Amino acid sequence: MADQTPPALSLTRRSLLFGVATAAAAASLPATSCAAAQAQPAADSPMPLRFDASGRFKIIQFNDTQDNHLTDHRTIEFMERVLDAEKPGFALINGDVIDGGPTTPEQVYQAVKNVVLPMESRAIPWAITFGNHDEDSIEEHGTGVTEAHIAEFVRTYKYNLNPPAGDRPFGHSDAHLLIASAHDAARASYSVWLVDSGNSMPEDFQEAAGEDVPHYDYIRPAQIDWYLGRSRAAEARFGAPVPGLMFFHIPTYEHRDMWFGGPAKTSGIDHNAAARKHNIDGVKHEDVYYGAFNSGIYAAVRDRGDVQGIYCGHDHINSFYGDYYGVELGYCPGTGFAPYGLRDGTRDQHTLRGARVFELNENTERVYESTRLIFAKDLGADMAPAKQPIDAPAPLPDYVTLPSATPTPVPAEGSSLSSNALSSLS
């Protein structure tokens, strides 16, 4: 979720935890280990997915389900209707899976479970990426549940495809998933790239930057190295570049540049020209809330030439996509009915709740054929603006286990943190 007002500039527990976790990781690992954890060889990239007998494959992108353990029932029902209608080969929730509402570790896992069960109960392979709100319960309620804990939790589901998060301080949802050919199970016809675009910059940075620099995190150089390494190794493994789509939560600078036709342009006239030039379709109802620094992921993807599109979320009421010099850039609008929407408090609030569908056909030269949006309003969802929470979360599947390491509780806002307590929050 994109914050619609600048974050507070005080030193909060979140910035303290960020600094402690990063320092602890740096102190306990060799100097090159974070980069090494990212730059794993691509030869072992798994092929857990496969085109069907006709050579087709469908991907569903959900975004910003973003709720607590009493998820709005319309979010769950919309996801179920989309999955039942489309029958995808893979589905993902692309960041901000939950919000900061859970008050206990158990409630965090229940909140996640509510929105992954639509895929899991239908035996649809699925994964998540992390957004900027998935750890908010640490700051807001002291749950102690980190992205690494959530990654460990979702990996116990039968149909989850998230790899181990590792002990690095970032990139907890990075994954390279290959889709095997219908005609040859040993050959990959397409790639799905999942990237963790980070959370928010530490509060001391935000205070120093003020409003001159965005406060959201950015994809790190080690993650780009990881992508390039795996991309090149996949080419060596299969004898040609493997085309693919890339998903992460926080949009790139180039998403905004495309809308206006270049980084120095800002006017409606500029957009009208850009819409024709880049074949832009969809709406932009808020700004593009990109990260603190331009990470270079778009440039890396464009130069490498194998990723055909980068799709994000974060800005709930943007839905546009277009072709920006050979790389499709686009959004899935917010799927969840709990966070902000269009003109909150009115009957318009939920009109952009949606999911994005991607159609692949390995019998074509490009493989990637098309994308389209499905809106909850068109599937009969109740458009009343007030939240409609479920009565109680469903029980966990009996084969799902909670993380082995119990999250360390964090003191409530305003209480002091001892140095010993801080050292344990790594």
Side-chain angles (χ1 to χ4, degrees):
M1 170 182 174
D3 298 327
Q4 295 180 301
T5 56
L9 300 182
S10 60
L11 184 63
T12 69
R13 180 166 55 252
R14 163 178 255 159
S15 63
L16 206 52
L17 295 178
F18 181 97
V20 169
T22 304
S28 63
L29 297 173
T32 60
S33 63
C34 289
Q38 293 289 339
Q40 302 169 49
D44 65 348
S45 289
M47 288 199 286
L49 305 168
R50 190 172 184 182
F51 283 82
D52 68 19
S54 68
R56 293 187 171 275
F57 193 90
K58 191 178 293 184
I59 297 170
I60 300 291
Q61 177 190 0
F62 299 114
N63 237 102
D64 300 273
T65 45
Q66 200 172 330
D67 208 338
N68 60 26
H69 63 296
L70 298 179
T71 307
D72 193 304
H73 72 88
R74 295 170 294 181
T75 302
I76 300 169
E77 290 164 6
F78 171 55
M79 295 175 72
E80 291 173 336
R81 290 173 186 173
V82 170
L83 297 171
D84 288 341
E86 299 295 331
K87 296 178 173 54
F90 175 70
L92 75 149
I93 303 176
N94 191 29
D96 282 2
V97 180
I98 61 172
D99 66 11
T103 61
T104 66
E106 179 184 22
Q107 289 182 0
V108 172
Y109 300 127
Q110 288 172 333
V112 174
K113 178 262 303 167
N114 289 343
V115 291
V116 304
L117 272 184
M119 287 84 74
E120 183 73 8
S121 63
R122 288 162 175 75
I124 295 171
W126 59 274
I128 64 172
T129 67
F130 289 113
N132 56 294
H133 283 297
D134 291 303
E135 287 188 342
D136 277 3
S137 69
I138 297 175
E139 178 180 346
E140 295 183 22
H141 298 292
T143 65
V145 180
T146 65
E147 290 176 354
H149 288 117
I150 296 172
E152 184 181 349
F153 170 64
V154 298
R155 277 175 45 77
T156 67
Y157 284 81
K158 288 179 181 178
Y159 299 97
N160 175 261
L161 298 182
N162 282 97
D167 55 6
R168 55 190 181 270
F170 50 80
H172 296 128
S173 55
D174 292 353
H176 181 207
L177 306 175
L178 295 170
I179 310 176
S181 169
H183 314 296
D184 181 357
R187 180 174 66 83
S189 290
Y190 212 72
S191 282
V192 175
W193 297 92
L194 307 179
V195 182
D196 184 350
S197 56
N199 194 317
S200 296
M201 297 297 287
E203 294 289 345
D204 56 348
F205 171 88
Q206 296 184 28
E207 185 172 5
E211 296 184 8
D212 295 330
V213 177
H215 294 175
Y216 295 113
D217 208 343
Y218 57 99
I219 295 169
R220 301 308 172 99
Q223 294 172 276
I224 296 177
D225 289 345
W226 164 82
Y227 153 67
L228 292 172
R230 288 204 167 227
S231 172
R232 292 181 183 123
E235 180 179 5
R237 177 180 174 184
F238 300 109
V242 180
L245 288 168
M246 182 175 284
F247 299 92
F248 49 83
H249 185 71
I250 297 175
T252 66
Y253 279 61
E254 288 80 10
H255 277 70
R256 188 178 188 279
D257 295 346
M258 181 183 73
W259 180 264
F260 289 110
K265 299 179 179 181
T266 60
S267 75
I269 294 175
D270 291 333
H271 166 65
N272 289 337
R276 294 189 295 271
K277 181 176 183 179
H278 301 297
N279 296 315
I280 297 173
D281 183 56
V283 299
K284 175 180 173 292
H285 284 295
E286 61 179 315
D287 206 352
V288 174
Y289 288 96
Y290 40 61
F293 304 110
N294 190 339
S295 68
I297 187 64
Y298 167 83
V301 158
R302 187 179 183 282
D303 286 356
R304 182 72 191 125
D306 57 350
V307 172
Q308 298 171 322
I310 296 174
Y311 276 82
C312 302
H314 187 56
D315 305 323
H316 302 182
I317 51 179
N318 290 344
S319 69
F320 66 86
Y321 76 102
D323 183 342
Y324 196 58
Y325 302 107
V327 180
E328 203 168 87
L329 302 179
Y331 278 98
C332 174
T335 299
F337 279 71
Y340 77 83
L342 181 66
R343 291 185 281 276
D344 286 350
T346 73
R347 294 289 298 185
D348 294 334
Q349 180 172 327
H350 299 308
T351 55
L352 284 175
R353 306 305 189 195
R356 185 169 282 281
V357 183
F358 300 87
E359 303 270 5
L360 309 180
N361 182 355
E362 71 166 331
N363 301 311
T364 64
E365 181 178 358
R366 190 168 185 259
V367 184
Y368 171 37
E369 282 194 324
S370 63
T371 184
R372 56 189 162 85
L373 287 171
I374 300 175
F375 293 104
K377 66 182 180 181
D378 298 325
L379 297 184
D382 182 352
M383 291 288 107
K387 185 181 174 183
Q388 299 177 21
I390 57 175
D391 294 330
L396 289 175
D398 56 11
Y399 54 84
V400 172
T401 59
L402 298 181
S404 55
T406 302
T408 304
V410 180
E413 189 73 52
S415 63
S416 61
L417 290 170
S418 70
S419 59
N420 288 339
L422 284 174
S423 66
S424 69
L425 296 172
S426 59

